[in-house]
Amino acid sequence: VALVWQRAVGHGAADAAPRPEARPRLASARVEPKVEPKVEPKVEPKVEPKVEPKVEPRVEPKVEPKVEPKVEPAPPAKTALTRAEIDAVLRAETLTMPFLHKDADEAERAFHAQATRAVERVFAEDFDDPAILMSLYEKVLAEESLSFIRDDWREPLERGVVRAEALQQAAAPLKALRQALAKAKPTGDGVYAGINHAQCRAALAELKKLDQSLLELAVTVAPVQRLPLGQLEGVCELSYEQELAGRVFPAPSGPPPLRQLVRKAYQRAYKGRAVTRIVIVDQGWVVDEEGGQRTLRAVVGVKRKKAFPLDPCVMEEISLVQQEKRPGRYGPPVCCQIHSSVAIGCDQIK
């Protein structure tokens, strides 16, 4: 009993004294640190401001008032031909115009006037648009009110359309031919002076290329009388021959060295031309008043290769110029200024 009492007293004293901090026991179960749950900030949904669609005011398209083109009445056709001349052309074409019956109604009279004028323009005035005649032809075939005069007008309208189409085909060379003869003046016996022969040749060559039958087409080309185009070619050729007949090349003259100088300088300047005759004018060089240059004038007979439609042989008056390099010494001649050029018969410059 005493021993138990001492142990009880001893334990009581030990409990009364302060106890050291208990050392954590490593063998005990591992305690995970307490992790607080991560709280994501609450994101409020972004509210887009409500945008009302912009309503443009409705604009009605501006409607312009429709303006119909003002149709002026066609002026009366003007012609330089008299009634007698028109009738002469129609007789030459063996074309008989329909007769207007005295009991014709208003529609027939109106058609007769239109068709007569259209046919006469094509035959007497060389009008080259077949559209009007074709329209009248379709009209007389289609309209019952014109059935009584239908057969009378069939042939004149058909022939008019054929002629207008031929004139239309020949329009470009025919225009060139009229220009070539615009300044022609009659000298008698079907010969005319002042014809542009190169243009006349070119126009007729183009007609032949288009269609040989166009040469049978009779036209009026002032100042020549009304003739088939084939006969107009004869007028141009005859007039050309008459023009050459009165033109003679002067006898060659001048110092031979100068003539040789002119020949070489000209043929060097104009390839494809052969100088066959030369006349030196003033017998040599002419020094200008200031003495800085001198001029040599000459008349040359030239044959041109492949010259068509130009004249194959021409007589030209030319000049050469030399600049003075130092007193008494001149540089090479500069060729050539052509002062005049006229056609001449090739036999004249052999």
Side-chain angles (χ1 to χ4, degrees):
V1 172
L3 180 61
V4 173
W5 173 254
Q6 288 179 356
R7 287 182 178 176
V9 172
H11 281 292
D15 290 337
R19 298 177 66 180
E21 288 289 331
R23 189 174 179 180
R25 297 175 62 187
L26 298 178
S28 62
R30 184 178 179 183
V31 180
E32 295 292 336
K34 184 177 181 181
V35 179
E36 296 293 334
K38 187 175 181 181
V39 180
E40 296 290 338
K42 186 177 181 181
V43 180
E44 297 292 335
K46 186 177 181 180
V47 180
E48 296 289 340
K50 187 176 181 181
V51 179
E52 295 294 335
K54 186 177 180 180
V55 180
E56 297 288 342
R58 184 177 178 184
V59 179
E60 295 293 336
K62 186 177 181 181
V63 180
E64 297 288 343
K66 187 176 181 181
V67 179
E68 295 292 338
K70 186 177 180 181
V71 179
E72 299 288 346
K78 296 181 180 179
T79 175
L81 299 179
T82 63
R83 183 69 254 173
E85 290 172 330
I86 294 174
D87 291 340
V89 169
L90 298 179
R91 283 196 302 272
E93 296 287 344
T94 63
L95 180 63
T96 303
M97 297 297 285
F99 176 75
L100 180 63
H101 300 277
K102 62 180 180 180
D103 56 349
D105 60 20
E106 184 177 350
E108 292 171 342
R109 289 179 182 275
F111 183 87
H112 181 89
Q114 291 176 339
T116 298
R117 177 60 187 145
V119 171
E120 289 178 352
R121 287 183 73 193
V122 170
F123 280 92
E125 301 173 29
D126 301 331
F127 185 67
D128 61 1
D129 187 356
I132 297 175
L133 287 171
M134 292 175 68
S135 176
L136 290 169
Y137 186 74
E138 292 172 358
K139 182 177 182 179
V140 77
L141 293 180
E143 295 190 10
E144 190 62 29
S145 60
L146 301 176
S147 60
F148 186 71
I149 61 174
R150 183 174 297 155
D151 292 337
D152 296 339
W153 278 105
R154 190 186 300 270
E155 181 186 354
L157 291 173
E158 288 176 349
R159 290 185 58 186
V161 169
V162 172
R163 176 176 169 82
E165 289 176 343
L167 287 168
Q168 195 173 63
Q169 184 182 8
L174 184 55
K175 179 180 179 181
L177 189 59
R178 287 193 169 106
Q179 291 174 346
L181 296 169
K183 297 181 180 179
K185 295 181 180 179
T187 58
D189 299 327
V191 175
Y192 292 80
I195 296 176
N196 184 332
H197 293 289
Q199 191 167 355
C200 188
R201 292 187 202 106
L204 289 163
E206 183 64 22
L207 278 169
K208 294 175 183 178
K209 186 189 298 185
L210 290 172
D211 190 343
Q212 286 280 347
S213 65
L214 293 174
L215 296 176
E216 302 173 6
L217 195 64
V219 296
T220 302
V221 179
V224 183
Q225 298 298 320
R226 182 182 178 85
L227 289 173
L229 289 171
Q231 293 185 29
L232 279 175
E233 183 178 24
V235 170
C236 288
E237 291 177 351
L238 181 60
S239 299
Y240 182 68
E241 292 173 0
Q242 289 294 316
E243 182 180 321
L244 298 186
R247 193 164 291 154
V248 179
F249 193 89
S253 64
L258 289 182
R259 288 158 58 188
Q260 185 66 14
L261 174 69
V262 170
R263 177 180 286 104
K264 288 182 177 180
Y266 186 97
Q267 292 181 166
R268 186 165 51 246
Y270 299 99
K271 305 295 183 181
R273 300 185 186 185
V275 178
T276 57
R277 289 202 171 193
I278 302 172
V279 174
I280 301 298
V281 179
D282 299 328
Q283 293 302 309
W285 293 99
V286 176
V287 180
D288 66 0
E289 296 179 357
E290 297 180 358
Q293 71 177 24
R294 62 182 184 177
T295 303
L296 179 65
R297 296 180 72 93
V299 177
V300 295
V302 180
K303 286 186 177 181
R304 300 189 282 200
K305 298 177 182 178
K306 299 179 181 179
F308 185 86
L310 300 175
D311 304 297
C313 298
V314 291
M315 178 172 61
E316 296 181 338
E317 184 178 355
I318 66 171
S319 63
L320 288 73
V321 176
Q322 280 185 323
Q323 297 291 335
E324 190 175 31
K325 298 296 183 181
R326 59 178 184 267
R329 302 286 293 182
Y330 291 88
V334 177
C335 181
C336 297
Q337 182 178 357
I338 299 176
H339 301 282
S340 66
S341 181
V342 293
I344 193 167
C346 292
D347 59 334
Q348 288 287 320
I349 59 172
K350 288 181 180 178

